[in-house]
């Protein structure tokens, strides 16, 4: 049911009192009548989890999380306010039994379903919730699947509808998720008003808003309004009203990289009573090529290169959504226009989709199915999954941000990699049942059977969508990003990304807790720090193992720089106009715990070097340099925005000291949502061995630098290319930093006489707008800071500089 709000409601408030929690041995109390002997109660917060309540009471710690699934967890509270009400449970993890005044009213066995129960309250009623220990259910003998994943354990999880978070050793902390993690609401029972269906469609430049509305009782008029237009709904059968509002010239919803994410308030007037339907967006989705040739999305008829990351909950312990807006603001600031919610996590709360609507972020949503051979032939399992799917589509039925619904994560890949034939891994649910169900409820969505899928094998890089780790886990050279001809990478570029110095948690390789934060695949003789080390050696020509032992700080400094270089280089290949790649989503957005996890944002929500690199790689107006071998460098100018851009393009080839060997400048206009490609030969007007391919003589340049300036002369994008290794030796390069004022607050002008490689900006209590960037010889950049009203204190350093420039310090 769509979320609605009757504005002139006068029904008295009904509320819960304080919540208490107790933990008992499994099965020790069969019902609330057995709780009289339980004295060890603590305060609890609802919505919330047992782990969060126990942590607040000093009885549980993220650093050494104790199991909770081997016990029963009880919650109790008192409800004040008599009369008939509807108790609505938005999320219960996982085997839940509910009593009101000692009478059982609900038994739930899915973390992903919403439950509503109509009850009669007395003047004061006792509500009790029991979450039975999962361990007993998981230990219970059950039919084994045709394959068993190594990543998730135990195998009996395939029968339970609960998140696999906490069950993936090496992937995330082993935190047991138990409790009423989503809101429990108490709704007065009124004449029933239900939005049975609501759909916002963009047809050319015409918006069409259709509504189906069920109303109990006599109704004289039902009017649908959006913007400055309205339409009456007709009673098509007793109690069912339907109609369509046509909105010519409606401002469409766009991902923020390509336009404005316009939203329009909608409402109903039922016999004069206003019913708020929230805000709706109008957009059209389509594929630009067959799915088997690689997923490629168009929004409102415009092809969109989808870039972003895989989402993880902002709070793994309490499962709250308090940090959602902050995380999504960082997503938008980094130029990301898509997030994938993988099947290894859980469905986000409704405010996640509302915020993605508002911020212009596309959402790829997996069903919570991952790796297992799920028992789709079990009627009870199939019915529960259908309720789960229907409930999700109901609550997101007008979300323009939702664009892809996927049958789950690595289910098909898992079976195929174990040698199973297509008849085994291409299950009927994902291949036929899911598309039909979505077509009936939200035909505007793109349905993907599984992530990955679409090729000869599910993980083939060219077809459908792939989990591409050629550059990354499989330690292929950077050129593999082009060679693989990736169609769409719904996961990619996983590294153990070191947090910045000063982040709470393990500090580095010398810290005994450091290995616990390094992600790894079970059974592999390598981890994702090994992967990062490989590219440190490739880019800088050093032995990372020796460096790790001799100079751990330098080791981490180069590790931070390397992952940034790899990510920028990979997305430069994928975003060039002739690339077959239509999207790439990094694994993951945020770490689930302390240490060097996959996240490009650390567990404290502080961006890492990889986030800054992606922010540079994802600029809507961008310049890229790619190595085309005998054809030299190609310079690509991209404009994703809806407005034409008047630009000046400069290409300079120089040594690290600034001696220019060749230079060209050209004024150009990049049309709206268009791209321009120029060869270095065309720009320079003569032969120059930009890629050091011909080698007719000694190479006379160390780097190529492409720069885009706008009509006011401001530099809006830069790109660098190195025909050899990045400069690494520390020397005096003339690095400078001076405080300046910017439109966004305090800033810093950073300049250099010689080339500055991977300039790191660190500040106390403030976040720089960029860090890890290169500075061409004789150039400068102004870096603003988010957060402080006063100039912050900190330092600037490049990995090839012997100078550490401090700023904001007294004297």
């Amino acid at each position: 049911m769509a979320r609605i709000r009757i504005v002139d409601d006068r029904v008295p408030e009904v509320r819960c009192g304080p919540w208490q929690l107790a933990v008992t041995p499994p099965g020790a109390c069969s019902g609330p009548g057995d709780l009289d002997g339980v004295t060890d109660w603590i305060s609890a917060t609802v919505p919330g989890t047992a782990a969060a309540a126990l942590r607040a009471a000093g009885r549980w710690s993220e650093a050494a999380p104790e199991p909770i699934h081997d016990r029963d967890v009880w919650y109790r509270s008192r409800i004040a306010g008599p009369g008939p009400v509807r108790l609505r449970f938005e999320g219960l993890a996982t085997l839940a039994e509910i009593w009101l005044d000692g009478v059982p009213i609900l038994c739930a066995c899915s973390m992903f379903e919403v439950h509503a129960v109509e009850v009669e309250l007395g003047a004061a009623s006792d509500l009790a919730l029991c979450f039975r220990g999962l361990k007993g259910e998981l230990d219970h003998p059950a039919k084994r699947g045709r394959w068993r994943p190594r990543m998730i354990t135990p195998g009996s999880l395939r029968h339970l509808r609960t998140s696999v978070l906490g069950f993936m050793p090496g992937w995330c902390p082993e935190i047991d998720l138990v409790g009423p993690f989503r809101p429990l609401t108490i709704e007065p029972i009124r004449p029933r008003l239900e939005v049975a269906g609501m759909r916002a469609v963009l047809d050319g430049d015409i918006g069409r808003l259709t509504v189906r509305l069920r109303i109990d009782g006599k109704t004289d008029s039902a009017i649908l309004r959006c913007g400055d237009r309205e339409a009456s709904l007709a009673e098509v059968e007793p109690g069912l009203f339907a109609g369509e509002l046509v909105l010519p010239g409606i401002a469409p919803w766009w991902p923020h990289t390509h336009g404005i994410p316009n939203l329009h308030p909608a409402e109903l007037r039922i016999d004069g009573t206003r019913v708020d339907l929230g805000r709706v967006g109008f957009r059209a989705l389509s594929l630009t090529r067959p799915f088997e040739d690689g997923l490629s999305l168009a929004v409102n008829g415009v092809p969109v290169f989808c870039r972003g990351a895989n989402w993880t909950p902002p709070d793994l312990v309490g499962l709250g959504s308090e940090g959602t807006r902050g995380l999504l603001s960082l997503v938008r600031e980094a130029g990301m226009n898509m997030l994938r919610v993988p099947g290894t996590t859980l469905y986000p709360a409704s405010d996640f989709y509302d915020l993605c609507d508002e911020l212009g972020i596309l959402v790829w949503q997996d069903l919570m199915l991952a790796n297992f051979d799920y028992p789709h032939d079990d009627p009870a399992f199939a019915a529960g999954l259908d309720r789960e799917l229907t409930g999700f589509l109901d609550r997101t039925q007008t979300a323009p941000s939702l664009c892809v619904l996927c049958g789950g994560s690595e289910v098909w890949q898992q079976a195929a990699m174990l040698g199973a034939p297509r008849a085994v891994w291409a299950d009927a649910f994902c291949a036929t049942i899911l598309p039909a169900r979505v077509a009936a409820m939200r035909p505007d969505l793109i349905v993907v059977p599984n992530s990955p899928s679409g090729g000869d094998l599910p993980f083939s890089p060219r077809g459908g969508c792939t989990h591409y780790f050629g550059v990354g886990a499989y330690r292929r050279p950077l050129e593999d990003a082009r060679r693989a001809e990736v169609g769409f990478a719904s996961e990619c570029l996983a590294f153990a990304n070191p947090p910045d110095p000063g982040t709470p948690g393990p500090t580095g390789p010398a810290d005994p807790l450091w290995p616990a934060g390094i992600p790894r695949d079970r059974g592999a003789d390598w981890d994702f720090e090994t992967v990062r080390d490989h590219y440190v050696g490739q880019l800088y020509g050093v032995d990372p193992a020796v460096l790790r032992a001799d100079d751990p700080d330098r080791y981490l400094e180069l590790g931070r720089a390397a992952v940034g270089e790899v990510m920028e280089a990979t997305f430069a290949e994928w975003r060039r106009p002739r690339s077959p790649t239509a999207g790439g989503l990094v694994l993951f957005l945020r770490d689930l715990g302390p240490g060097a996890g996959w996240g490009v944002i650390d567990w404290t929500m502080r961006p890492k070097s990889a986030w800054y690199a992606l922010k540079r790689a994802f600029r809507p107006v961008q310049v890229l340099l790619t190595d085309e071998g005998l054809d030299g460098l190609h310079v690509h100018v991209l404009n994703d925005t809806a407005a034409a851009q008047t630009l000046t393009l400069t290409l300079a080839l120089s040594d690290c000291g600034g001696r220019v060997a060749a230079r060209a400048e050209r004024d150009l206009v990049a049309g709206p949502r268009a791209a321009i490609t120029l060869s270095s030969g065309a720009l320079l007007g003569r032969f120059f061995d930009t890629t050091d391919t011909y080698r007719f003589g000694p190479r006379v340049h160390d780097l190529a630098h492409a720069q885009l300036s706008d009509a006011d002369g401001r530099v809006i994008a830069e790109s660098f290319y190195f025909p050899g290794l990045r400069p690494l030796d520390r020397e005096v390069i003339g690095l400078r930093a001076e405080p300046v004022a910017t439109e966004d607050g305090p800033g810093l002008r950073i300049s250099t006489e010689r080339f500055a490689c991977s300039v790191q900006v660190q500040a106390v209590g403030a976040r720089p707008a960029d860090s890890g960037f290169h500075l061409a010889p004789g150039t400068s950049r102004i870096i603003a800071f988010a957060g402080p009203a006063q100039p912050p204190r900190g330092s600037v350093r490049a990995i090839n500089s012997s100078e550490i420039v401090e700023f904001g310090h007294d004297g």
Side-chain angles (χ1 to χ4, degrees):
M1 185 178 69
R3 297 186 305 279
I4 59 176
R5 182 167 62 91
I6 299 179
V7 173
D8 66 348
D9 186 25
R10 298 288 191 270
V11 180
E13 179 183 11
V14 182
R15 64 185 186 276
C16 282
W19 285 91
Q20 292 182 308
L21 176 149
V23 178
T24 65
C29 299
S30 60
D34 298 331
L35 294 174
D36 293 342
V38 177
T39 59
D40 194 16
W41 293 89
I42 61 173
S43 296
T45 300
V46 174
T49 66
L54 292 167
R55 180 179 61 183
R59 301 185 181 185
W60 186 92
S61 168
E62 290 167 90
E66 293 185 6
I68 302 174
H69 286 321
D70 59 352
R71 292 167 280 175
D72 291 346
V73 176
W74 289 85
Y75 285 77
R76 69 182 183 185
S77 182
R78 176 156 287 198
I79 305 176
V85 298
R86 183 179 299 111
L87 300 181
R88 186 175 176 85
F89 303 91
E90 299 282 348
L92 301 169
T94 292
L95 303 179
E97 299 171 12
I98 316 295
W99 292 265
L100 183 68
D101 291 329
V103 177
I105 60 171
L106 177 66
C107 226
C109 58
S110 172
M111 186 176 180
F112 307 128
E113 288 186 46
V114 174
H115 301 274
V117 185
E118 294 186 1
V119 297
E120 184 77 26
L121 297 181
S125 298
D126 292 318
L127 184 63
L129 290 68
C130 179
F131 296 88
R132 299 296 182 184
L134 275 187
K135 187 176 185 303
E137 188 70 19
L138 293 172
D139 290 344
H140 186 75
K143 182 180 178 181
R144 292 186 60 173
R146 291 167 293 177
W147 65 86
R148 176 171 290 187
R150 303 185 71 175
M151 178 180 113
I152 309 169
T153 184
S156 50
L157 275 167
R158 76 187 193 99
H159 296 281
L160 290 177
R161 298 307 298 139
T162 194
S163 176
V164 298
L165 289 169
F167 293 99
M168 296 180 286
W171 279 54
C172 70
E174 296 182 42
I175 293 172
D176 292 350
L177 306 179
V178 179
F181 68 100
R182 290 276 158 78
L184 188 168
T185 57
I186 305 171
E187 305 169 350
I189 295 179
R190 58 173 71 90
R192 190 168 180 82
L193 177 66
E194 177 185 347
V195 178
M198 184 171 169
R199 188 174 300 160
V201 175
L202 187 66
D203 181 7
D205 65 347
I206 297 174
R208 299 184 184 277
L209 182 61
T210 59
V211 170
R212 290 168 57 84
L213 180 69
R214 295 191 183 278
I215 308 175
D216 290 348
K218 185 178 182 300
T219 301
D220 293 324
S221 69
I223 298 172
L224 173 64
R225 291 181 176 177
C226 185
D228 58 358
R229 291 179 175 263
E230 64 180 41
S232 295
L233 305 183
E235 191 169 9
V236 295
E237 60 182 60
L240 178 62
F241 292 77
E244 179 181 77
L245 180 58
V246 179
L247 300 157
I250 193 75
W253 184 94
W254 289 95
H256 73 95
T257 50
H258 287 67
I260 299 172
N262 293 292
L263 295 172
H264 308 272
E267 67 178 38
L268 293 166
R269 289 281 178 174
I270 311 297
D271 292 338
T273 298
R274 178 172 173 260
V275 179
D276 183 9
L277 295 176
R279 296 188 297 169
V280 297
F282 297 86
R283 60 104 183 95
L285 282 177
S286 58
L287 296 178
T288 67
R289 62 193 178 198
F291 177 70
E292 293 73 18
D293 295 335
L295 177 68
S296 179
L297 294 182
V299 179
N300 306 330
V302 175
V304 171
F305 182 87
C306 300
R307 62 266 200 179
N310 281 252
W311 175 261
T312 50
D315 175 14
L316 184 58
V317 175
L319 296 184
S321 58
E322 291 77 9
T324 300
R325 179 175 283 278
L327 272 176
L328 292 179
S329 296
L330 289 173
V331 166
R332 178 172 170 136
E333 183 182 339
M336 300 181 186
N337 60 18
M338 177 179 274
L339 292 171
R340 172 175 168 244
V341 182
T344 51
T345 55
L346 71 161
Y347 301 100
S350 295
D351 62 348
F352 169 82
Y353 305 95
D354 293 340
L355 287 168
C356 288
D357 292 345
E358 174 189 325
L359 297 172
I361 300 166
L362 296 164
V363 177
W364 168 315
Q365 177 69 57
D366 280 5
L367 298 185
M368 293 302 112
L369 301 169
N371 295 75
F372 286 111
D373 175 22
Y374 288 97
H376 292 292
D377 56 351
D378 178 349
F381 181 90
L385 184 58
D386 186 69
R387 292 192 302 269
E388 176 184 316
L389 172 59
T390 300
F392 171 75
L393 290 174
D394 273 351
R395 71 183 175 98
T396 58
Q397 61 184 288
T398 59
S401 58
L402 183 62
C403 64
V404 173
L405 192 65
C406 175
S409 174
E410 295 191 352
V411 175
W412 289 15
Q413 171 179 291
Q414 183 75 77
M417 280 193 161
L418 292 173
R422 178 178 289 269
V424 170
W425 49 258
D427 64 89
F429 172 79
C430 290
T432 59
I433 298 173
L434 176 62
R437 198 78 178 93
V438 174
M441 297 189 67
R442 273 209 67 170
D444 61 308
L445 299 182
I446 303 298
V447 178
V448 171
N450 219 258
S451 181
S453 64
D456 298 331
L457 292 168
F459 43 85
S460 298
R462 293 172 175 82
C465 60
T466 188
H467 291 184
Y468 173 75
F469 299 110
V471 175
Y474 305 132
R475 288 175 277 185
R476 302 285 293 169
L478 297 185
E479 293 80 8
D480 193 71
R482 178 181 295 201
R483 183 184 303 118
E485 297 183 342
V486 172
F488 190 109
S490 44
E491 288 184 12
C492 62
L493 297 176
F495 299 94
N497 295 314
D500 278 356
T503 301
T507 56
D511 191 320
L513 297 178
W514 183 258
I518 304 298
R520 64 170 57 245
D521 286 329
R522 292 184 73 200
D525 61 358
W526 51 271
D527 59 28
F528 284 83
E529 186 158 72
T530 310
V531 173
R532 187 189 71 230
D533 289 352
H534 171 80
Y535 291 99
V536 169
Q538 291 290 306
L539 293 174
Y540 303 113
V542 299
D543 185 335
V546 172
L547 193 61
R548 177 187 176 115
D550 294 347
D551 191 346
D553 290 339
R554 180 67 162 167
Y555 165 79
L556 289 178
E557 182 183 43
L558 295 187
R560 295 184 188 100
V563 294
E565 293 274 15
V566 171
M567 289 187 177
E568 286 197 75
T570 301
F571 278 102
E573 285 289 356
W574 288 351
R575 288 190 71 188
R576 63 189 171 86
R578 295 183 64 181
S579 169
T581 309
L585 307 177
V586 171
L587 189 80
F588 275 113
L589 178 68
R590 176 183 172 267
D591 287 342
L592 291 170
W598 280 315
V600 300
I601 298 170
D602 71 30
W603 71 299
T604 70
M605 299 196 188
R606 183 181 180 187
K608 303 185 196 177
S609 63
W611 180 87
Y612 289 107
L614 293 176
K615 182 178 179 180
R616 294 188 291 271
F618 292 165
R619 287 178 287 226
V621 181
Q622 175 71 308
V623 61
L624 306 169
L625 288 171
T626 59
D627 184 340
E628 304 298 329
L630 296 177
D631 202 29
L633 289 175
H634 279 193
V635 185
H636 311 280
V637 177
L638 312 180
N639 177 24
D640 286 344
T641 73
Q645 303 286 329
T646 300
L647 303 165
T648 299
L649 170 65
T650 305
L651 175 65
L653 299 111
S654 71
D655 64 16
C656 288
R659 186 180 66 84
V660 175
R663 187 179 186 279
E665 184 176 294
R666 179 175 295 191
D667 294 330
L668 50 84
V669 176
R673 301 174 185 134
I676 299 169
T677 296
L678 297 166
S679 70
S680 53
L683 274 170
L684 296 171
R686 65 182 179 87
F687 170 73
F688 187 91
D689 193 5
T690 53
T691 57
D692 194 31
T693 299
Y694 293 91
R695 298 188 300 279
F696 290 150
R699 175 164 51 83
V700 295
H701 67 294
D702 298 317
L703 63 122
H705 173 223
Q707 177 180 283
L708 273 186
S709 302
D710 65 14
D712 296 325
R714 292 173 296 195
V715 176
I716 58 174
E718 294 179 282
S719 184
F720 290 82
Y721 169 81
F722 303 92
L725 294 174
R726 277 74 172 161
L728 191 62
D729 292 340
R730 291 201 186 279
E731 57 184 2
V732 176
I733 62 172
L735 193 64
R736 301 286 184 270
E738 57 177 331
V740 295
T742 75
E743 294 178 356
D744 300 322
L748 204 65
R749 178 181 283 109
I750 302 172
S751 61
T752 185
E753 296 174 7
R754 299 174 59 83
F755 173 69
C757 188
S758 296
V759 177
Q760 304 142 57
V761 183
Q762 297 177 9
V764 178
R767 175 172 59 81
D770 200 1
S771 184
F773 55 88
H774 302 316
L775 265 183
T779 65
S780 66
R781 278 193 65 185
I782 293 179
I783 302 298
F785 290 93
Q790 300 298 321
R793 301 170 63 236
S795 64
V796 175
R797 185 171 190 172
I799 64 172
N800 64 326
S801 169
S802 60
E803 304 135 303
I804 300 177
V805 183
E806 296 185 342
F807 58 89
H809 295 262
D810 294 336

